[in-house]
Amino acid sequence: EVQLVESGGGLVQPGRSLRLSCAASGFTFDDYAMHWVRQAPGKGLEWVSGISWNSGSIGYADSVKGRFTISRDNAKNSLYLQMNSLRAEDTALYYCAKDFGAALTYFQHWGQGTLVTVSS
Amino acid sequence: AIQLTQSPSSLSASVGDRVTITCRASQGISSALAWYQQKPGKAPKLLIYDASSLESGVPSRFSGSGSGTDFTLTISSLQPEDFATYYCQQFNSYLIFTFGPGTKVDIK
């Protein structure tokens, strides 16, 4: 069974940094691309960033480009999101999602999310 | 950037009804479209990918169609567990992923 467990969320002041982690199990991690998708309270879904199986392809939403960095450690079956210069509008539930395949396409499996609140 | 619009934004329906939700892309995306279902307090669930392929384990009352700019998600006979919000999503070769704004399906 695919399991994705996010961690690292919390309350952080504007301008500060936070690092999210996603621990994956139940599948061959380095066969699949991975993503971060967020959902602000009461709002819709927003793709944040994605990374291919070998980190050869990486993409970011314009709203986070230059501030967030996605990475993965295939030896540890883990996905990360380094978030710098956080803003109030980054407040959201952040989901880790497993792609359908090795490239970046669809979000086949999702974790339960970790909540990031940016506030002074 | 490619924008996705969904209609309607919400609808009320009864158990057994046939429900159709439309997703329109601002430019052609071939068949690179998926549909997700999200229930309150839960993570989204993939229903349809490549516009019309049913994800494993998803009931056959769900179907998708379309290509280019116009797509539809159809629920042939609405069940109590289908009351949820539905999102379409596209991807392209420029590594841009977009969701539609969502369609909330609730009980009439």
Side-chain angles (χ1 to χ4, degrees):
Chain A
E1 178 192 2
V2 172
Q3 286 202 336
L4 301 168
V5 179
E6 303 93 337
S7 60
L11 175 62
V12 61
Q13 293 179 329
R16 304 298 292 266
S17 299
L18 209 57
R19 189 193 196 209
L20 305 184
S21 299
C22 171
S25 60
F27 64 101
T28 304
F29 184 71
D30 54 10
D31 279 350
Y32 293 91
M34 298 292 295
H35 302 265
W36 290 99
V37 178
R38 69 185 181 184
Q39 188 168 34
K43 302 297 184 182
L45 301 168
E46 180 188 17
W47 174 78
V48 173
S49 183
I51 185 168
S52 63
W53 68 280
N54 63 352
S55 304
S57 293
I58 289 176
Y60 298 97
D62 287 344
S63 58
V64 307
K65 201 171 292 183
R67 299 188 298 124
F68 290 11
T69 302
I70 192 172
S71 62
R72 63 189 295 161
D73 185 336
N74 288 345
K76 294 183 177 180
N77 289 351
S78 293
L79 176 72
Y80 306 101
L81 186 68
Q82 177 67 42
M83 304 186 296
N84 298 333
S85 303
L86 282 161
R87 306 167 179 168
E89 53 265 36
D90 295 320
T91 294
L93 185 64
Y94 284 73
Y95 292 105
C96 166
K98 168 187 167 290
D99 198 282
F100 204 80
L104 297 163
T105 57
Y106 308 112
F107 317 113
Q108 188 181 32
H109 294 98
W110 301 64
Q112 288 306 302
T114 187
L115 183 62
V116 173
T117 303
V118 183
S119 174
S120 54
Chain B
I2 297 174
Q3 306 294 324
L4 296 178
T5 57
Q6 287 183 235
S7 60
S9 56
S10 65
L11 66 92
S12 295
S14 300
V15 172
D17 283 354
R18 181 181 182 88
V19 169
T20 298
I21 299 169
T22 296
C23 178
R24 176 163 289 174
S26 58
Q27 55 187 277
I29 58 171
S30 185
S31 297
L33 188 105
W35 290 95
Y36 301 84
Q37 176 193 67
Q38 187 179 31
K39 297 180 180 179
K42 300 294 186 182
K45 174 186 176 182
L46 177 65
L47 300 175
I48 302 285
Y49 62 95
D50 288 345
S52 61
S53 296
L54 192 68
E55 169 67 345
S56 176
V58 174
S60 59
R61 62 181 179 273
F62 291 92
S63 64
S65 65
S67 67
T69 59
D70 294 315
F71 302 86
T72 59
L73 172 70
T74 299
I75 309 172
S76 60
S77 178
L78 198 66
Q79 298 302 300
E81 60 268 31
D82 300 337
F83 293 96
T85 299
Y86 294 84
Y87 296 92
C88 56
Q89 172 250 325
Q90 69 84 31
F91 74 94
N92 62 29
S93 58
Y94 299 100
L95 300 181
I96 300 297
F97 297 77
T98 311
F99 286 96
T103 295
K104 185 176 181 180
V105 177
D106 60 21
I107 302 172
K108 182 184 285 185

